[in-house]
Amino acid sequence: MKAFQDYYPENLAHCYGCGRNNEHGHQIKTVWDGDETVTRFQPKPEHTAIPGFVYGGLLASLIDCHGTGTAAAAMCRAENRPMDSQPPFRFVTGSLHVSYLKPTPLGPELEIRGQVKEIKGRKVVVEATVFADGVATAKGEIVALQMPDTFTSAAAN
């Protein structure tokens, strides 16, 4: 199954968190799992906050990009369009709120699960939870806004 991010147009696939064209980024991959979305990510030693624990900024970045990818897929699903249909749905972050529930251990693969809470016009609200070994360690809410056409035309130049 192709990930949502695999459908991003070439000129819009450079994001540090989810862009396949950013060799230094996280390059996360998000897919549907029923009515939820899921991303799996293996933190590296450089993602350390203090020895043995993941840096909170990484968790926020994962929640953010998981949310915008989920928004694109949810909008396609809501309009009964395939992910590769034109024009593409791409989203940017309008707001991001992250709550750190407990320290996230460095070592286990992280699982980020998302649920679409609302689709209204060009806005999609997504709730995402980070799990380490099945334990919820962070939770976030992303308000994703459909990317303005001015972003798309600037990226094409």
Side-chain angles (χ1 to χ4, degrees), residues 30-49:
T30 309
V31 297
W32 285 111
D33 183 13
D35 286 336
E36 290 188 325
T37 55
V38 66
T39 297
R40 289 183 172 73
F41 184 82
Q42 181 61 61
K44 299 175 183 163
E46 59 265 26
H47 297 133
T48 297

PDB file of all heavy atoms in Angstrom, residues 30-49:
ATOM      1  N   THR A  30       2.499   7.483   6.013  1.00  0.00           N
ATOM      2  CA  THR A  30       1.229   7.344   6.714  1.00  0.00           C
ATOM      3  C   THR A  30       0.237   6.600   5.833  1.00  0.00           C
ATOM      4  O   THR A  30       0.170   6.863   4.631  1.00  0.00           O
ATOM      5  CB  THR A  30       0.667   8.737   7.068  1.00  0.00           C
ATOM      6  OG1 THR A  30       1.682   9.493   7.730  1.00  0.00           O
ATOM      7  CG2 THR A  30      -0.565   8.640   7.948  1.00  0.00           C
ATOM      8  N   VAL A  31      -0.517   5.685   6.429  1.00  0.00           N
ATOM      9  CA  VAL A  31      -1.517   4.902   5.697  1.00  0.00           C
ATOM     10  C   VAL A  31      -2.794   4.798   6.530  1.00  0.00           C
ATOM     11  O   VAL A  31      -2.789   5.041   7.732  1.00  0.00           O
ATOM     12  CB  VAL A  31      -1.000   3.472   5.378  1.00  0.00           C
ATOM     13  CG1 VAL A  31       0.213   3.517   4.457  1.00  0.00           C
ATOM     14  CG2 VAL A  31      -0.669   2.706   6.652  1.00  0.00           C
ATOM     15  N   TRP A  32      -3.880   4.429   5.848  1.00  0.00           N
ATOM     16  CA  TRP A  32      -5.141   4.162   6.550  1.00  0.00           C
ATOM     17  C   TRP A  32      -5.049   2.826   7.267  1.00  0.00           C
ATOM     18  O   TRP A  32      -4.460   1.873   6.764  1.00  0.00           O
ATOM     19  CB  TRP A  32      -6.316   4.108   5.575  1.00  0.00           C
ATOM     20  CG  TRP A  32      -6.766   5.436   5.058  1.00  0.00           C
ATOM     21  CD1 TRP A  32      -6.637   5.902   3.783  1.00  0.00           C
ATOM     22  CD2 TRP A  32      -7.441   6.466   5.792  1.00  0.00           C
ATOM     23  NE1 TRP A  32      -7.173   7.159   3.678  1.00  0.00           N
ATOM     24  CE2 TRP A  32      -7.683   7.527   4.905  1.00  0.00           C
ATOM     25  CE3 TRP A  32      -7.859   6.585   7.119  1.00  0.00           C
ATOM     26  CZ2 TRP A  32      -8.316   8.703   5.285  1.00  0.00           C
ATOM     27  CZ3 TRP A  32      -8.490   7.751   7.504  1.00  0.00           C
ATOM     28  CH2 TRP A  32      -8.723   8.797   6.603  1.00  0.00           C
ATOM     29  N   ASP A  33      -5.652   2.752   8.433  1.00  0.00           N
ATOM     30  CA  ASP A  33      -5.873   1.511   9.172  1.00  0.00           C
ATOM     31  C   ASP A  33      -7.321   1.594   9.653  1.00  0.00           C
ATOM     32  O   ASP A  33      -7.589   2.077  10.751  1.00  0.00           O
ATOM     33  CB  ASP A  33      -4.892   1.398  10.335  1.00  0.00           C
ATOM     34  CG  ASP A  33      -5.030   0.077  11.087  1.00  0.00           C
ATOM     35  OD1 ASP A  33      -5.689  -0.839  10.572  1.00  0.00           O
ATOM     36  OD2 ASP A  33      -4.464  -0.030  12.200  1.00  0.00           O
ATOM     37  N   GLY A  34      -8.243   1.198   8.764  1.00  0.00           N
ATOM     38  CA  GLY A  34      -9.668   1.385   9.056  1.00  0.00           C
ATOM     39  C   GLY A  34     -10.003   2.860   8.976  1.00  0.00           C
ATOM     40  O   GLY A  34      -9.693   3.522   7.995  1.00  0.00           O
ATOM     41  N   ASP A  35     -10.589   3.389  10.047  1.00  0.00           N
ATOM     42  CA  ASP A  35     -10.918   4.816  10.097  1.00  0.00           C
ATOM     43  C   ASP A  35      -9.811   5.638  10.735  1.00  0.00           C
ATOM     44  O   ASP A  35      -9.947   6.852  10.882  1.00  0.00           O
ATOM     45  CB  ASP A  35     -12.226   5.030  10.867  1.00  0.00           C
ATOM     46  CG  ASP A  35     -13.437   4.598  10.059  1.00  0.00           C
ATOM     47  OD1 ASP A  35     -13.352   4.580   8.812  1.00  0.00           O
ATOM     48  OD2 ASP A  35     -14.469   4.257  10.672  1.00  0.00           O
ATOM     49  N   GLU A  36      -8.740   4.994  11.141  1.00  0.00           N
ATOM     50  CA  GLU A  36      -7.588   5.691  11.713  1.00  0.00           C
ATOM     51  C   GLU A  36      -6.463   5.707  10.688  1.00  0.00           C
ATOM     52  O   GLU A  36      -6.477   4.961   9.717  1.00  0.00           O
ATOM     53  CB  GLU A  36      -7.079   4.984  12.973  1.00  0.00           C
ATOM     54  CG  GLU A  36      -7.981   5.084  14.165  1.00  0.00           C
ATOM     55  CD  GLU A  36      -7.323   4.524  15.417  1.00  0.00           C
ATOM     56  OE1 GLU A  36      -6.555   3.548  15.330  1.00  0.00           O
ATOM     57  OE2 GLU A  36      -7.597   5.080  16.484  1.00  0.00           O
ATOM     58  N   THR A  37      -5.484   6.571  10.953  1.00  0.00           N
ATOM     59  CA  THR A  37      -4.265   6.564  10.150  1.00  0.00           C
ATOM     60  C   THR A  37      -3.112   6.149  11.049  1.00  0.00           C
ATOM     61  O   THR A  37      -3.161   6.334  12.276  1.00  0.00           O
ATOM     62  CB  THR A  37      -3.990   7.955   9.551  1.00  0.00           C
ATOM     63  OG1 THR A  37      -3.959   8.928  10.600  1.00  0.00           O
ATOM     64  CG2 THR A  37      -5.061   8.323   8.526  1.00  0.00           C
ATOM     65  N   VAL A  38      -2.088   5.581  10.440  1.00  0.00           N
ATOM     66  CA  VAL A  38      -0.948   5.122  11.230  1.00  0.00           C
ATOM     67  C   VAL A  38       0.360   5.447  10.507  1.00  0.00           C
ATOM     68  O   VAL A  38       0.449   5.346   9.282  1.00  0.00           O
ATOM     69  CB  VAL A  38      -1.053   3.610  11.560  1.00  0.00           C
ATOM     70  CG1 VAL A  38      -0.953   2.751  10.309  1.00  0.00           C
ATOM     71  CG2 VAL A  38      -0.025   3.192  12.581  1.00  0.00           C
ATOM     72  N   THR A  39       1.330   5.860  11.311  1.00  0.00           N
ATOM     73  CA  THR A  39       2.707   6.092  10.877  1.00  0.00           C
ATOM     74  C   THR A  39       3.594   5.362  11.870  1.00  0.00           C
ATOM     75  O   THR A  39       3.334   5.391  13.078  1.00  0.00           O
ATOM     76  CB  THR A  39       3.056   7.603  10.926  1.00  0.00           C
ATOM     77  OG1 THR A  39       2.231   8.311  10.021  1.00  0.00           O
ATOM     78  CG2 THR A  39       4.513   7.853  10.594  1.00  0.00           C
ATOM     79  N   ARG A  40       4.627   4.744  11.361  1.00  0.00           N
ATOM     80  CA  ARG A  40       5.631   4.124  12.244  1.00  0.00           C
ATOM     81  C   ARG A  40       6.961   4.824  11.980  1.00  0.00           C
ATOM     82  O   ARG A  40       7.300   5.111  10.829  1.00  0.00           O
ATOM     83  CB  ARG A  40       5.720   2.633  11.978  1.00  0.00           C
ATOM     84  CG  ARG A  40       4.489   1.909  12.474  1.00  0.00           C
ATOM     85  CD  ARG A  40       4.562   0.400  12.308  1.00  0.00           C
ATOM     86  NE  ARG A  40       3.447  -0.240  12.975  1.00  0.00           N
ATOM     87  CZ  ARG A  40       2.187  -0.229  12.548  1.00  0.00           C
ATOM     88  NH1 ARG A  40       1.879   0.413  11.442  1.00  0.00           N
ATOM     89  NH2 ARG A  40       1.230  -0.834  13.218  1.00  0.00           N
ATOM     90  N   PHE A  41       7.694   5.091  13.072  1.00  0.00           N
ATOM     91  CA  PHE A  41       8.956   5.813  12.944  1.00  0.00           C
ATOM     92  C   PHE A  41       9.943   5.296  13.969  1.00  0.00           C
ATOM     93  O   PHE A  41       9.612   5.156  15.151  1.00  0.00           O
ATOM     94  CB  PHE A  41       8.733   7.326  13.157  1.00  0.00           C
ATOM     95  CG  PHE A  41       9.978   8.133  12.957  1.00  0.00           C
ATOM     96  CD1 PHE A  41      10.381   8.495  11.690  1.00  0.00           C
ATOM     97  CD2 PHE A  41      10.748   8.518  14.037  1.00  0.00           C
ATOM     98  CE1 PHE A  41      11.540   9.232  11.493  1.00  0.00           C
ATOM     99  CE2 PHE A  41      11.910   9.251  13.860  1.00  0.00           C
ATOM    100  CZ  PHE A  41      12.303   9.612  12.585  1.00  0.00           C
ATOM    101  N   GLN A  42      11.154   5.047  13.509  1.00  0.00           N
ATOM    102  CA  GLN A  42      12.216   4.581  14.396  1.00  0.00           C
ATOM    103  C   GLN A  42      13.142   5.750  14.746  1.00  0.00           C
ATOM    104  O   GLN A  42      13.901   6.206  13.895  1.00  0.00           O
ATOM    105  CB  GLN A  42      13.028   3.470  13.730  1.00  0.00           C
ATOM    106  CG  GLN A  42      14.133   2.908  14.601  1.00  0.00           C
ATOM    107  CD  GLN A  42      13.593   2.277  15.881  1.00  0.00           C
ATOM    108  OE1 GLN A  42      12.825   1.331  15.836  1.00  0.00           O
ATOM    109  NE2 GLN A  42      13.996   2.809  17.026  1.00  0.00           N
ATOM    110  N   PRO A  43      13.065   6.261  15.987  1.00  0.00           N
ATOM    111  CA  PRO A  43      13.982   7.343  16.372  1.00  0.00           C
ATOM    112  C   PRO A  43      15.431   6.875  16.325  1.00  0.00           C
ATOM    113  O   PRO A  43      15.730   5.697  16.576  1.00  0.00           O
ATOM    114  CB  PRO A  43      13.573   7.681  17.804  1.00  0.00           C
ATOM    115  CG  PRO A  43      12.209   7.120  17.965  1.00  0.00           C
ATOM    116  CD  PRO A  43      12.151   5.922  17.062  1.00  0.00           C
ATOM    117  N   LYS A  44      16.307   7.807  16.017  1.00  0.00           N
ATOM    118  CA  LYS A  44      17.741   7.533  15.948  1.00  0.00           C
ATOM    119  C   LYS A  44      18.423   8.127  17.171  1.00  0.00           C
ATOM    120  O   LYS A  44      17.833   8.961  17.873  1.00  0.00           O
ATOM    121  CB  LYS A  44      18.306   8.151  14.671  1.00  0.00           C
ATOM    122  CG  LYS A  44      17.689   7.575  13.422  1.00  0.00           C
ATOM    123  CD  LYS A  44      18.188   8.293  12.197  1.00  0.00           C
ATOM    124  CE  LYS A  44      17.487   7.724  10.973  1.00  0.00           C
ATOM    125  NZ  LYS A  44      17.592   8.596   9.828  1.00  0.00           N
ATOM    126  N   PRO A  45      19.652   7.739  17.442  1.00  0.00           N
ATOM    127  CA  PRO A  45      20.363   8.269  18.615  1.00  0.00           C
ATOM    128  C   PRO A  45      20.404   9.798  18.662  1.00  0.00           C
ATOM    129  O   PRO A  45      20.357  10.391  19.735  1.00  0.00           O
ATOM    130  CB  PRO A  45      21.771   7.685  18.483  1.00  0.00           C
ATOM    131  CG  PRO A  45      21.553   6.406  17.728  1.00  0.00           C
ATOM    132  CD  PRO A  45      20.433   6.695  16.760  1.00  0.00           C
ATOM    133  N   GLU A  46      20.433  10.460  17.499  1.00  0.00           N
ATOM    134  CA  GLU A  46      20.480  11.923  17.497  1.00  0.00           C
ATOM    135  C   GLU A  46      19.152  12.561  17.899  1.00  0.00           C
ATOM    136  O   GLU A  46      19.066  13.767  18.082  1.00  0.00           O
ATOM    137  CB  GLU A  46      20.934  12.468  16.129  1.00  0.00           C
ATOM    138  CG  GLU A  46      20.061  12.074  14.972  1.00  0.00           C
ATOM    139  CD  GLU A  46      20.544  10.835  14.213  1.00  0.00           C
ATOM    140  OE1 GLU A  46      21.244   9.985  14.806  1.00  0.00           O
ATOM    141  OE2 GLU A  46      20.201  10.726  13.030  1.00  0.00           O
ATOM    142  N   HIS A  47      18.115  11.762  18.077  1.00  0.00           N
ATOM    143  CA  HIS A  47      16.812  12.267  18.522  1.00  0.00           C
ATOM    144  C   HIS A  47      16.688  12.239  20.048  1.00  0.00           C
ATOM    145  O   HIS A  47      15.595  12.269  20.595  1.00  0.00           O
ATOM    146  CB  HIS A  47      15.677  11.462  17.878  1.00  0.00           C
ATOM    147  CG  HIS A  47      15.635  11.589  16.398  1.00  0.00           C
ATOM    148  ND1 HIS A  47      15.505  10.508  15.552  1.00  0.00           N
ATOM    149  CD2 HIS A  47      15.736  12.676  15.595  1.00  0.00           C
ATOM    150  CE1 HIS A  47      15.519  10.929  14.297  1.00  0.00           C
ATOM    151  NE2 HIS A  47      15.659  12.236  14.298  1.00  0.00           N
ATOM    152  N   THR A  48      17.810  12.226  20.725  1.00  0.00           N
ATOM    153  CA  THR A  48      17.861  12.163  22.184  1.00  0.00           C
ATOM    154  C   THR A  48      17.595  13.525  22.822  1.00  0.00           C
ATOM    155  O   THR A  48      18.123  14.542  22.373  1.00  0.00           O
ATOM    156  CB  THR A  48      19.257  11.676  22.643  1.00  0.00           C
ATOM    157  OG1 THR A  48      19.446  10.349  22.152  1.00  0.00           O
ATOM    158  CG2 THR A  48      19.399  11.678  24.147  1.00  0.00           C
ATOM    159  N   ALA A  49      16.771  13.512  23.868  1.00  0.00           N
ATOM    160  CA  ALA A  49      16.581  14.699  24.716  1.00  0.00           C
ATOM    161  C   ALA A  49      17.586  14.605  25.857  1.00  0.00           C
ATOM    162  O   ALA A  49      18.483  15.418  26.000  1.00  0.00           O
ATOM    163  CB  ALA A  49      15.161  14.759  25.258  1.00  0.00           C
TER     164      ALA A  49
END
